[in-house]
Amino acid sequence: MLTKSLIDMLYTILIYFVNSISVIGIMWVYQKVRNIKISFIKFAVAILFCVITYIFCFEILLAPVTQWILYDCNNDILSWAYVNITNYIVLVSSIYLFLEKDIKINLILTSILWAMYTFLLFGFNNFLYLISSSGSIYYLLLGILMAIMIALLQNFLAKKLHLNEIMIEFEKKNYSYLSIICISILIIMAFAWTQIIIPKGKAEFRLEEVMIIFLVITFSIVLVQYAYNLLKIKQENEYNQIVLHQQQLYIQDLEDIQQNMRAFKHDYKNMMSSLYLNSKEGNIKKVENLIQGMIDDFDDTIDSKMALTTQLSNIRESEVKSLLFKKITDIYHKKISFHLEVLYPLHKNKIQTIDLVRILGILMDNAIEEVEQNHNDLTLLILQEENSLTIVVENYVEKEVNINDINNSGFTTKKDHSGIGLQSLETIIEKYPNISHKVSCRNHRFIQEIIIFNS
Protein backbone atom coordinates (compact mmCIF):
# COMPACT_ATOMS: atom_id res chain seq x y z
CA MET A 1 0.00 0.00 0.00
CA LEU A 2 1.24 3.45 -0.87
CA THR A 3 1.36 5.97 1.95
CA LYS A 4 -0.44 9.31 1.61
CA SER A 5 2.88 11.17 1.32
CA LEU A 6 4.03 8.92 -1.55
CA ILE A 7 0.68 9.35 -3.29
CA ASP A 8 0.92 13.14 -2.93
CA MET A 9 4.48 13.12 -4.28
CA LEU A 10 3.45 10.92 -7.23
CA TYR A 11 0.49 13.22 -7.86
CA THR A 12 2.80 16.28 -7.92
CA ILE A 13 5.26 14.55 -10.27
CA LEU A 14 2.45 13.62 -12.64
CA ILE A 15 1.18 17.21 -12.65
CA TYR A 16 4.59 18.49 -13.73
CA PHE A 17 4.92 15.67 -16.26
CA VAL A 18 1.55 16.53 -17.87
CA ASN A 19 2.51 20.21 -17.94
CA SER A 20 5.86 19.34 -19.56
CA ILE A 21 4.09 17.36 -22.29
CA SER A 22 1.82 20.36 -22.88
CA VAL A 23 4.86 22.64 -23.29
CA ILE A 24 6.45 20.09 -25.64
CA GLY A 25 3.26 20.08 -27.72
CA ILE A 26 3.09 23.88 -28.02
CA MET A 27 6.77 24.24 -28.95
CA TRP A 28 6.54 21.33 -31.39
CA VAL A 29 3.58 22.91 -33.19
CA TYR A 30 5.41 26.28 -33.19
CA GLN A 31 8.35 24.61 -34.94
CA LYS A 32 6.04 23.05 -37.52
CA VAL A 33 4.26 26.32 -38.27
CA ARG A 34 7.52 28.29 -38.61
CA ASN A 35 9.43 25.45 -40.28
CA ILE A 36 12.17 25.55 -37.63
CA LYS A 37 14.44 22.55 -37.18
CA ILE A 38 16.66 22.33 -34.10
CA SER A 39 18.54 19.46 -32.48
CA PHE A 40 16.83 17.17 -30.00
CA ILE A 41 19.19 18.33 -27.25
CA LYS A 42 18.42 22.00 -27.83
CA PHE A 43 14.70 21.24 -27.87
CA ALA A 44 14.98 19.29 -24.59
CA VAL A 45 16.91 22.17 -23.00
CA ALA A 46 14.19 24.60 -24.14
CA ILE A 47 11.47 22.48 -22.49
CA LEU A 48 13.50 22.10 -19.29
CA PHE A 49 14.20 25.84 -19.19
CA CYS A 50 10.50 26.64 -19.62
CA VAL A 51 9.33 24.32 -16.82
CA ILE A 52 12.08 25.30 -14.36
CA THR A 53 11.62 29.01 -15.05
CA TYR A 54 7.91 28.82 -14.34
CA ILE A 55 8.42 26.87 -11.11
CA PHE A 56 11.16 29.21 -9.88
CA CYS A 57 9.43 32.47 -10.79
CA PHE A 58 5.81 31.80 -9.91
CA GLU A 59 5.87 28.88 -7.46
CA ILE A 60 8.94 29.84 -5.42
CA LEU A 61 9.94 33.49 -5.94
CA LEU A 62 6.37 34.81 -6.26
CA ALA A 63 4.70 32.04 -4.28
CA PRO A 64 2.78 34.39 -1.92
CA VAL A 65 1.37 36.34 -4.89
CA THR A 66 0.40 33.13 -6.68
CA GLN A 67 -1.21 31.75 -3.52
CA TRP A 68 -3.25 34.90 -2.96
CA ILE A 69 -4.44 35.29 -6.56
CA LEU A 70 -5.31 31.65 -7.20
CA TYR A 71 -6.74 30.62 -3.85
CA ASP A 72 -7.37 33.53 -1.47
CA CYS A 73 -8.77 36.47 -3.48
CA ASN A 74 -11.75 34.46 -4.81
CA ASN A 75 -11.79 36.31 -8.15
CA ASP A 76 -12.18 34.04 -11.19
CA ILE A 77 -11.27 36.69 -13.74
CA LEU A 78 -8.05 37.64 -11.94
CA SER A 79 -7.13 33.97 -11.42
CA TRP A 80 -7.64 33.04 -15.08
CA ALA A 81 -5.76 36.13 -16.24
CA TYR A 82 -2.83 35.40 -13.93
CA VAL A 83 -2.54 31.73 -14.99
CA ASN A 84 -2.71 32.50 -18.71
CA ILE A 85 -0.44 35.55 -18.75
CA THR A 86 2.28 33.96 -16.60
CA ASN A 87 2.37 30.82 -18.73
CA TYR A 88 2.38 32.96 -21.87
CA ILE A 89 5.33 35.07 -20.66
CA VAL A 90 7.44 32.01 -19.87
CA LEU A 91 6.61 30.41 -23.23
CA VAL A 92 7.50 33.58 -25.15
CA SER A 93 10.82 33.83 -23.28
CA SER A 94 11.71 30.18 -23.93
CA ILE A 95 10.80 30.34 -27.63
CA TYR A 96 12.80 33.55 -28.03
CA LEU A 97 15.91 32.02 -26.45
CA PHE A 98 15.81 28.64 -28.18
CA LEU A 99 13.57 28.71 -31.27
CA GLU A 100 13.11 32.12 -32.90
CA LYS A 101 14.44 35.64 -32.31
CA ASP A 102 11.63 37.39 -34.17
CA ILE A 103 9.82 38.74 -31.12
CA LYS A 104 6.78 40.04 -33.03
CA ILE A 105 6.01 36.68 -34.61
CA ASN A 106 6.85 35.02 -31.29
CA LEU A 107 4.32 37.15 -29.40
CA ILE A 108 1.41 36.69 -31.79
CA LEU A 109 1.94 33.02 -32.70
CA THR A 110 2.56 31.94 -29.09
CA SER A 111 -0.66 33.69 -28.02
CA ILE A 112 -2.60 31.81 -30.72
CA LEU A 113 -1.09 28.45 -29.80
CA TRP A 114 -1.52 29.02 -26.06
CA ALA A 115 -5.14 30.10 -26.49
CA MET A 116 -5.76 27.08 -28.71
CA TYR A 117 -4.14 24.81 -26.13
CA THR A 118 -6.07 26.17 -23.13
CA PHE A 119 -9.37 25.90 -24.94
CA LEU A 120 -8.75 22.35 -26.16
CA LEU A 121 -7.59 21.42 -22.65
CA PHE A 122 -10.82 22.82 -21.25
CA GLY A 123 -12.84 20.73 -23.70
CA PHE A 124 -10.93 17.47 -23.22
CA ASN A 125 -10.89 17.98 -19.47
CA ASN A 126 -14.66 18.07 -19.42
CA PHE A 127 -14.84 14.56 -20.86
CA LEU A 128 -12.25 13.23 -18.40
CA TYR A 129 -14.76 13.89 -15.63
CA LEU A 130 -16.91 11.13 -17.14
CA ILE A 131 -14.11 8.62 -16.51
CA SER A 132 -12.35 9.74 -13.34
CA SER A 133 -12.53 12.30 -10.55
CA SER A 134 -10.19 15.28 -10.78
CA GLY A 135 -8.30 14.45 -7.59
CA SER A 136 -7.23 10.91 -8.51
CA ILE A 137 -3.96 9.66 -10.02
CA TYR A 138 -5.96 7.99 -12.81
CA TYR A 139 -7.18 11.44 -13.82
CA LEU A 140 -3.57 12.60 -14.31
CA LEU A 141 -2.56 9.41 -16.11
CA LEU A 142 -5.39 10.03 -18.54
CA GLY A 143 -4.17 13.64 -18.64
CA ILE A 144 -0.91 12.44 -20.22
CA LEU A 145 -2.83 10.89 -23.09
CA MET A 146 -4.98 14.01 -23.27
CA ALA A 147 -1.92 16.30 -23.56
CA ILE A 148 -0.57 14.20 -26.45
CA MET A 149 -3.94 14.27 -28.23
CA ILE A 150 -4.16 18.05 -27.80
CA ALA A 151 -0.71 18.51 -29.38
CA LEU A 152 -1.71 16.39 -32.40
CA LEU A 153 -5.01 18.24 -32.74
CA GLN A 154 -3.22 21.60 -32.49
CA ASN A 155 -0.92 20.59 -35.31
CA PHE A 156 -3.91 19.49 -37.40
CA LEU A 157 -5.75 22.77 -36.79
CA ALA A 158 -2.62 24.81 -37.52
CA LYS A 159 -2.39 23.17 -40.95
CA LYS A 160 -6.09 23.51 -41.71
CA LEU A 161 -6.07 27.18 -40.70
CA HIS A 162 -2.92 27.84 -42.79
CA LEU A 163 -1.16 29.43 -39.81
CA ASN A 164 2.20 29.17 -41.58
CA GLU A 165 1.06 31.28 -44.54
CA ILE A 166 -0.81 33.70 -42.29
CA MET A 167 2.33 34.23 -40.20
CA ILE A 168 4.41 34.87 -43.33
CA GLU A 169 1.93 37.54 -44.44
CA PHE A 170 1.84 38.97 -40.92
CA GLU A 171 5.63 39.16 -40.96
CA LYS A 172 5.48 41.46 -43.99
CA LYS A 173 3.39 44.00 -42.06
CA ASN A 174 5.10 46.56 -39.88
CA TYR A 175 2.88 46.44 -36.79
CA SER A 176 4.05 48.25 -33.66
CA TYR A 177 5.05 46.28 -30.57
CA LEU A 178 2.23 47.88 -28.59
CA SER A 179 -0.45 46.77 -31.04
CA ILE A 180 0.99 43.24 -31.19
CA ILE A 181 1.08 42.95 -27.40
CA CYS A 182 -2.51 44.19 -27.13
CA ILE A 183 -3.73 41.76 -29.81
CA SER A 184 -1.85 38.87 -28.18
CA ILE A 185 -3.35 39.53 -24.76
CA LEU A 186 -6.84 39.84 -26.27
CA ILE A 187 -6.41 36.48 -28.03
CA ILE A 188 -5.36 34.80 -24.80
CA MET A 189 -8.04 36.36 -22.65
CA ALA A 190 -10.83 35.82 -25.20
CA PHE A 191 -10.45 32.08 -24.72
CA ALA A 192 -9.91 32.40 -20.98
CA TRP A 193 -13.11 34.44 -20.61
CA THR A 194 -15.04 31.69 -22.37
CA GLN A 195 -14.12 29.39 -19.50
CA ILE A 196 -15.24 32.00 -16.96
CA ILE A 197 -18.62 32.52 -18.67
CA ILE A 198 -19.48 28.82 -18.44
CA PRO A 199 -21.12 28.14 -15.05
CA LYS A 200 -19.06 25.63 -13.11
CA GLY A 201 -19.60 24.82 -9.47
CA LYS A 202 -17.53 21.65 -9.30
CA ALA A 203 -15.44 19.28 -11.38
CA GLU A 204 -17.98 17.33 -13.41
CA PHE A 205 -19.13 16.85 -16.99
CA ARG A 206 -21.37 19.71 -18.16
CA LEU A 207 -23.29 19.82 -21.44
CA GLU A 208 -23.11 23.66 -21.49
CA GLU A 209 -19.35 23.44 -21.80
CA VAL A 210 -19.55 21.05 -24.76
CA MET A 211 -22.00 23.30 -26.62
CA ILE A 212 -20.03 26.52 -26.02
CA ILE A 213 -16.74 24.83 -26.90
CA PHE A 214 -18.23 23.55 -30.16
CA LEU A 215 -19.64 26.96 -31.05
CA VAL A 216 -16.42 28.84 -30.29
CA ILE A 217 -14.26 26.37 -32.24
CA THR A 218 -16.65 26.54 -35.21
CA PHE A 219 -16.73 30.34 -35.12
CA SER A 220 -12.93 30.57 -34.85
CA ILE A 221 -12.36 28.19 -37.78
CA VAL A 222 -14.89 30.02 -39.98
CA LEU A 223 -13.38 33.41 -39.07
CA VAL A 224 -9.79 32.39 -39.75
CA GLN A 225 -10.75 30.58 -42.95
CA TYR A 226 -12.61 33.67 -44.15
CA ALA A 227 -9.57 35.84 -43.41
CA TYR A 228 -7.34 33.39 -45.24
CA ASN A 229 -9.63 33.35 -48.29
CA LEU A 230 -9.56 37.15 -48.39
CA LEU A 231 -5.77 36.99 -48.25
CA LYS A 232 -5.66 34.49 -51.13
CA ILE A 233 -7.96 36.67 -53.24
CA LYS A 234 -5.71 39.67 -52.60
CA GLN A 235 -2.61 37.64 -53.53
CA GLU A 236 -4.24 36.39 -56.74
CA ASN A 237 -5.27 39.92 -57.74
CA GLU A 238 -1.72 41.16 -57.14
CA TYR A 239 -0.39 38.18 -59.06
CA ASN A 240 -2.68 38.89 -62.04
CA GLN A 241 -1.56 42.52 -62.10
CA ILE A 242 2.09 41.44 -62.08
CA VAL A 243 1.50 38.94 -64.91
CA LEU A 244 -0.27 41.62 -66.99
CA HIS A 245 2.61 44.05 -66.44
CA GLN A 246 5.17 41.37 -67.29
CA GLN A 247 3.36 40.47 -70.51
CA GLN A 248 3.42 44.13 -71.51
CA LEU A 249 7.18 44.21 -70.90
CA TYR A 250 7.60 41.06 -72.97
CA ILE A 251 5.72 42.58 -75.92
CA GLN A 252 7.74 45.79 -75.56
CA ASP A 253 11.01 43.86 -75.70
CA LEU A 254 9.92 42.04 -78.86
CA GLU A 255 9.13 45.42 -80.39
CA ASP A 256 12.61 46.65 -79.37
CA ILE A 257 14.20 43.68 -81.16
CA GLN A 258 12.16 44.45 -84.26
CA GLN A 259 13.16 48.13 -84.11
CA ASN A 260 16.84 47.19 -83.71
CA MET A 261 16.58 44.87 -86.71
CA ARG A 262 15.15 47.70 -88.80
CA ALA A 263 17.94 50.03 -87.71
CA PHE A 264 20.55 47.35 -88.44
CA LYS A 265 19.06 46.78 -91.88
CA HIS A 266 19.03 50.53 -92.52
CA ASP A 267 22.74 50.83 -91.72
CA TYR A 268 23.66 47.63 -93.53
CA LYS A 269 24.33 49.25 -96.94
CA ASN A 270 26.46 52.03 -95.41
CA MET A 271 28.53 49.47 -93.50
CA MET A 272 29.01 47.34 -96.59
CA SER A 273 30.13 50.37 -98.60
CA SER A 274 32.68 51.27 -95.94
CA LEU A 275 33.96 47.69 -95.88
CA TYR A 276 34.23 47.64 -99.66
CA LEU A 277 36.21 50.89 -99.83
CA ASN A 278 38.61 49.88 -97.06
CA SER A 279 39.19 46.44 -98.58
CA LYS A 280 39.82 48.01 -102.00
CA GLU A 281 42.42 50.34 -100.44
CA GLY A 282 44.04 47.40 -98.68
CA ASN A 283 43.20 48.50 -95.10
CA ILE A 284 42.74 44.94 -93.88
CA LYS A 285 43.16 45.84 -90.20
CA LYS A 286 40.45 48.48 -90.43
CA VAL A 287 38.17 45.98 -92.20
CA GLU A 288 38.69 43.48 -89.37
CA ASN A 289 37.88 46.15 -86.77
CA LEU A 290 34.72 47.18 -88.64
CA ILE A 291 33.52 43.57 -88.91
CA GLN A 292 34.24 42.94 -85.21
CA GLY A 293 32.36 46.10 -84.32
CA MET A 294 29.39 44.96 -86.38
CA ILE A 295 29.37 41.57 -84.64
CA ASP A 296 29.66 43.12 -81.15
CA ASP A 297 26.91 45.61 -81.90
CA PHE A 298 24.66 42.84 -83.19
CA ASP A 299 25.37 40.73 -80.07
CA ASP A 300 24.64 43.63 -77.71
CA THR A 301 21.47 44.87 -79.35
CA ILE A 302 19.87 41.89 -81.04
CA ASP A 303 21.56 38.49 -80.77
CA SER A 304 21.56 38.23 -76.96
CA LYS A 305 17.87 39.15 -76.79
CA MET A 306 17.03 36.76 -79.60
CA ALA A 307 18.91 33.96 -77.82
CA LEU A 308 16.87 34.54 -74.65
CA THR A 309 13.68 34.79 -76.68
CA THR A 310 14.51 31.42 -78.26
CA GLN A 311 14.99 29.87 -74.81
CA LEU A 312 11.78 31.44 -73.51
CA SER A 313 9.88 30.09 -76.52
CA ASN A 314 10.23 26.63 -74.92
CA ILE A 315 8.04 27.81 -72.05
CA ARG A 316 4.39 27.37 -72.99
CA GLU A 317 2.97 28.66 -69.68
CA SER A 318 2.43 32.39 -70.27
CA GLU A 319 2.56 33.20 -66.54
CA VAL A 320 5.94 31.50 -66.15
CA LYS A 321 7.29 33.10 -69.31
CA SER A 322 6.14 36.56 -68.17
CA LEU A 323 7.75 36.14 -64.75
CA LEU A 324 11.07 35.01 -66.23
CA PHE A 325 11.09 37.84 -68.70
CA LYS A 326 10.55 40.36 -65.88
CA LYS A 327 13.40 38.84 -63.88
CA ILE A 328 15.69 38.80 -66.93
CA THR A 329 14.92 42.49 -67.54
CA ASP A 330 15.87 43.26 -63.92
CA ILE A 331 19.06 41.21 -64.30
CA TYR A 332 20.22 43.19 -67.35
CA HIS A 333 19.41 46.51 -65.71
CA LYS A 334 21.59 45.50 -62.75
CA LYS A 335 24.42 44.41 -65.08
CA ILE A 336 24.44 40.82 -63.82
CA SER A 337 25.92 38.09 -65.99
CA PHE A 338 23.12 35.62 -66.68
CA HIS A 339 22.81 32.27 -68.44
CA LEU A 340 19.45 30.63 -69.19
CA GLU A 341 18.81 27.16 -70.51
CA VAL A 342 15.31 25.79 -71.08
CA LEU A 343 15.74 22.24 -72.33
CA TYR A 344 12.63 20.98 -74.09
CA PRO A 345 9.20 22.65 -74.05
CA LEU A 346 7.75 23.27 -70.60
CA HIS A 347 4.25 21.84 -70.23
CA LYS A 348 1.71 21.35 -67.45
CA ASN A 349 3.05 19.69 -64.29
CA LYS A 350 1.50 18.42 -61.09
CA ILE A 351 1.69 21.80 -59.37
CA GLN A 352 -0.52 24.85 -59.53
CA THR A 353 0.82 27.45 -61.96
CA ILE A 354 0.66 30.18 -59.32
CA ASP A 355 2.83 28.09 -56.98
CA LEU A 356 5.32 27.32 -59.77
CA VAL A 357 5.56 31.06 -60.48
CA ARG A 358 6.07 31.79 -56.77
CA ILE A 359 8.81 29.16 -56.51
CA LEU A 360 10.66 30.54 -59.55
CA GLY A 361 10.18 34.11 -58.31
CA ILE A 362 11.63 33.34 -54.86
CA LEU A 363 14.61 31.43 -56.28
CA MET A 364 15.39 34.19 -58.78
CA ASP A 365 14.90 37.03 -56.27
CA ASN A 366 17.24 35.40 -53.75
CA ALA A 367 19.90 34.84 -56.41
CA ILE A 368 19.61 38.38 -57.83
CA GLU A 369 19.82 39.99 -54.39
CA GLU A 370 22.91 37.94 -53.59
CA VAL A 371 24.92 38.82 -56.72
CA GLU A 372 23.72 42.33 -57.60
CA GLN A 373 26.19 44.11 -55.30
CA ASN A 374 29.26 42.59 -56.97
CA HIS A 375 27.73 42.24 -60.48
CA ASN A 376 28.51 38.55 -60.41
CA ASP A 377 26.77 35.78 -62.28
CA LEU A 378 23.82 33.43 -61.94
CA THR A 379 22.44 30.55 -63.97
CA LEU A 380 18.92 29.20 -64.41
CA LEU A 381 18.32 25.73 -65.86
CA ILE A 382 14.82 24.40 -66.57
CA LEU A 383 14.66 20.79 -67.70
CA GLN A 384 11.29 19.33 -68.66
CA GLU A 385 11.26 15.54 -68.84
CA GLU A 386 8.43 13.10 -69.30
CA ASN A 387 7.99 12.35 -65.60
CA SER A 388 9.49 15.41 -63.93
CA LEU A 389 10.40 19.07 -64.12
CA THR A 390 13.80 20.13 -62.76
CA ILE A 391 14.64 23.73 -61.88
CA VAL A 392 18.21 24.61 -60.94
CA VAL A 393 19.30 28.09 -59.84
CA GLU A 394 23.01 28.62 -59.26
CA ASN A 395 24.63 31.85 -58.11
CA TYR A 396 27.84 33.17 -56.61
CA VAL A 397 28.05 33.74 -52.83
CA GLU A 398 30.84 35.62 -51.06
CA LYS A 399 30.88 33.36 -48.01
CA GLU A 400 30.43 29.61 -47.91
CA VAL A 401 26.99 28.64 -46.61
CA ASN A 402 26.41 26.10 -43.86
CA ILE A 403 23.71 23.90 -45.37
CA ASN A 404 22.52 22.84 -41.90
CA ASP A 405 21.47 26.43 -41.18
CA ILE A 406 19.22 26.74 -44.23
CA ASN A 407 16.24 25.04 -42.57
CA ASN A 408 16.29 27.52 -39.70
CA SER A 409 13.60 30.21 -39.77
CA GLY A 410 14.95 33.56 -40.89
CA PHE A 411 18.05 32.12 -42.57
CA THR A 412 19.53 34.33 -45.27
CA THR A 413 22.89 34.74 -46.98
CA LYS A 414 22.38 38.50 -47.26
CA LYS A 415 22.99 41.27 -44.72
CA ASP A 416 20.00 43.08 -43.18
CA HIS A 417 17.59 40.62 -44.74
CA SER A 418 14.75 38.74 -43.03
CA GLY A 419 15.02 35.45 -44.93
CA ILE A 420 11.26 35.35 -45.54
CA GLY A 421 11.82 34.11 -49.11
CA LEU A 422 13.33 30.76 -48.19
CA GLN A 423 10.67 30.21 -45.55
CA SER A 424 7.92 31.02 -48.05
CA LEU A 425 9.54 28.57 -50.47
CA GLU A 426 9.45 25.77 -47.90
CA THR A 427 5.82 26.59 -47.12
CA ILE A 428 4.89 26.12 -50.79
CA ILE A 429 6.94 22.93 -51.15
CA GLU A 430 5.32 21.37 -48.08
CA LYS A 431 1.97 21.51 -49.89
CA TYR A 432 3.21 19.01 -52.49
CA PRO A 433 4.48 15.51 -51.62
CA ASN A 434 5.83 15.17 -55.17
CA ILE A 435 8.42 17.98 -54.84
CA SER A 436 12.06 17.46 -53.89
CA HIS A 437 14.22 20.40 -52.78
CA LYS A 438 18.00 20.01 -52.65
CA VAL A 439 20.49 22.68 -51.60
CA SER A 440 24.28 22.65 -51.87
CA CYS A 441 27.14 25.12 -51.65
CA ARG A 442 30.67 24.51 -52.88
CA ASN A 443 33.45 26.75 -54.21
CA HIS A 444 31.32 29.84 -53.53
CA ARG A 445 28.51 28.49 -55.73
CA PHE A 446 25.08 28.32 -54.05
CA ILE A 447 22.85 25.80 -55.85
CA GLN A 448 19.15 25.16 -55.32
CA GLU A 449 17.47 22.30 -57.16
CA ILE A 450 13.72 21.78 -57.31
CA ILE A 451 12.37 18.55 -58.81
CA ILE A 452 8.62 18.26 -59.44
CA PHE A 453 7.66 14.65 -60.10
CA ASN A 454 4.62 13.91 -62.28
CA SER A 455 4.21 10.26 -61.36
Side-chain angles (χ1 to χ4, degrees):
M1 290 289 294
L2 293 174
T3 63
K4 186 178 184 304
S5 60
L6 284 174
I7 293 175
D8 290 341
M9 184 176 71
L10 180 60
Y11 189 84
T12 302
I13 291 172
L14 285 173
I15 289 176
Y16 286 123
F17 186 65
V18 172
N19 290 337
S20 298
I21 294 175
S22 301
V23 173
I24 290 171
I26 292 171
M27 288 196 174
W28 173 66
V29 176
Y30 191 105
Q31 281 186 274
K32 301 285 282 184
V33 171
R34 296 294 290 161
N35 194 35
I36 299 171
K37 296 179 182 178
I38 62 173
S39 66
F40 174 79
I41 295 175
K42 188 175 181 180
F43 186 76
V45 171
I47 302 302
L48 192 62
F49 173 85
C50 187
V51 174
I52 292 176
T53 300
Y54 187 87
I55 294 171
F56 176 76
C57 291
F58 301 107
E59 295 187 10
I60 297 177
L61 194 63
L62 298 176
V65 177
T66 303
Q67 173 68 29
W68 182 80
I69 292 176
L70 296 185
Y71 304 106
D72 299 336
C73 75
N74 197 26
N75 187 315
D76 288 340
I77 295 177
L78 183 61
S79 298
W80 278 111
Y82 182 78
V83 168
N84 283 276
I85 296 300
T86 53
N87 278 279
Y88 172 68
I89 290 172
V90 174
L91 274 169
V92 167
S93 303
S94 303
I95 290 170
Y96 177 80
L97 289 174
F98 296 96
L99 297 186
E100 185 171 37
K101 298 296 183 183
D102 190 331
I103 188 64
K104 289 184 178 181
I105 289 292
N106 185 348
L107 287 167
I108 196 73
L109 181 55
T110 304
S111 70
I112 293 171
L113 293 179
W114 175 253
M116 191 186 297
Y117 162 77
T118 55
F119 197 72
L120 290 173
L121 173 66
F122 190 55
F124 274 91
N125 202 39
N126 188 300
F127 286 97
L128 285 189
Y129 296 145
L130 290 171
I131 305 171
S132 176
S133 63
S134 60
S136 70
I137 289 179
Y138 298 109
Y139 172 81
L140 288 176
L141 290 173
L142 289 170
I144 296 173
L145 179 61
M146 177 184 69
I148 295 171
M149 291 177 65
I150 288 174
L152 295 174
L153 186 55
Q154 270 189 294
N155 185 50
F156 173 78
L157 290 173
K159 288 182 178 179
K160 287 298 180 183
L161 297 175
H162 306 281
L163 276 185
N164 53 352
E165 295 183 54
I166 291 173
M167 286 299 106
I168 289 172
E169 288 301 317
F170 177 84
E171 198 169 2
K172 297 176 183 177
K173 309 294 182 182
N174 190 26
Y175 295 111
S176 67
Y177 281 101
L178 179 60
S179 61
I180 289 174
I181 290 171
C182 291
I183 292 170
S184 300
I185 292 174
L186 283 174
I187 290 172
I188 293 170
M189 296 313 300
F191 283 83
W193 286 331
T194 305
Q195 301 171 36
I196 298 169
I197 292 170
I198 297 174
K200 191 174 184 65
K202 56 184 179 179
E204 62 180 15
F205 177 82
R206 299 182 68 89
L207 186 60
E208 303 98 308
E209 290 182 22
V210 178
M211 295 301 298
I212 291 177
I213 288 166
F214 175 77
L215 289 174
V216 173
I217 288 178
T218 303
F219 175 76
S220 300
I221 291 175
V222 170
L223 182 63
V224 175
Q225 195 65 45
Y226 176 73
Y228 176 74
N229 289 337
L230 288 179
L231 176 64
K232 295 300 289 183
I233 292 171
K234 178 186 174 185
Q235 287 178 340
E236 288 177 5
N237 288 336
E238 291 175 350
Y239 165 77
N240 291 332
Q241 290 296 320
I242 291 171
V243 168
L244 179 61
H245 177 64
Q246 290 165 355
Q247 288 174 341
Q248 290 170 347
L249 288 174
Y250 182 64
I251 293 169
Q252 180 185 340
D253 202 60
L254 290 176
E255 290 174 350
D256 289 343
I257 292 175
Q258 187 180 34
Q259 187 64 33
N260 288 331
M261 286 293 290
R262 287 173 181 169
F264 187 83
K265 182 180 179 181
H266 181 266
D267 294 337
Y268 180 75
K269 289 183 178 181
N270 293 332
M271 289 186 290
M272 288 299 102
S273 297
S274 178
L275 284 173
Y276 175 75
L277 290 173
N278 280 283
S279 63
K280 191 173 182 180
E281 293 173 2
N283 297 329
I284 303 302
K285 187 65 177 177
K286 196 168 184 179
V287 170
E288 290 176 354
N289 292 336
L290 282 169
I291 293 174
Q292 186 61 50
M294 289 170 59
I295 294 171
D296 292 342
D297 185 58
F298 185 85
D299 285 343
D300 291 340
T301 59
I302 300 173
D303 191 51
S304 58
K305 287 188 177 181
M306 289 182 67
L308 280 172
T309 303
T310 301
Q311 294 293 329
L312 289 172
S313 67
N314 276 330
I315 297 177
R316 307 295 167 81
E317 298 284 339
S318 59
E319 297 92 339
V320 178
K321 182 183 291 188
S322 299
L323 171 80
L324 288 178
F325 182 77
K326 174 61 169 59
K327 298 306 176 187
I328 290 167
T329 303
D330 292 343
I331 286 169
Y332 282 138
H333 286 164
K334 294 175 180 179
K335 302 186 185 307
I336 297 171
S337 176
F338 178 64
H339 178 67
L340 171 67
E341 283 189 49
V342 183
L343 304 178
Y344 311 114
L346 176 67
H347 52 70
K348 284 281 186 182
N349 289 272
K350 287 191 175 179
I351 179 175
Q352 292 183 18
T353 302
I354 188 172
D355 286 332
L356 178 58
V357 169
R358 290 172 65 194
I359 288 173
L360 273 168
I362 292 168
L363 291 174
M364 293 296 290
D365 285 341
N366 285 342
I368 291 170
E369 288 175 18
E370 179 63 41
V371 303
E372 66 178 326
Q373 296 299 324
N374 47 39
H375 302 301
N376 223 295
D377 67 293
L378 66 92
T379 299
L380 171 62
L381 168 67
I382 300 177
L383 172 60
Q384 178 72 70
E385 298 178 286
E386 184 178 350
N387 296 319
S388 66
L389 170 66
T390 301
I391 300 169
V392 180
V393 176
E394 177 182 337
N395 63 273
Y396 171 84
V397 286
E398 280 195 48
K399 296 181 180 179
E400 293 292 334
V401 178
N402 185 352
I403 302 302
N404 295 325
D405 293 336
I406 290 175
N407 289 324
N408 293 335
S409 175
F411 169 81
T412 176
T413 61
K414 301 172 280 293
K415 291 182 180 179
D416 302 321
H417 198 274
S418 64
I420 296 175
L422 286 175
Q423 189 180 338
S424 300
L425 178 64
E426 289 302 319
T427 299
I428 299 168
I429 290 172
E430 284 181 356
K431 292 166 57 177
Y432 298 94
N434 60 316
I435 295 182
S436 168
H437 181 204
K438 299 178 183 177
V439 183
S440 61
C441 185
R442 54 183 180 271
N443 300 324
H444 295 278
R445 305 299 298 178
F446 186 68
I447 304 168
Q448 293 208 66
E449 180 183 22
I450 303 285
I451 304 176
I452 303 168
F453 298 97
N454 294 326
S455 59

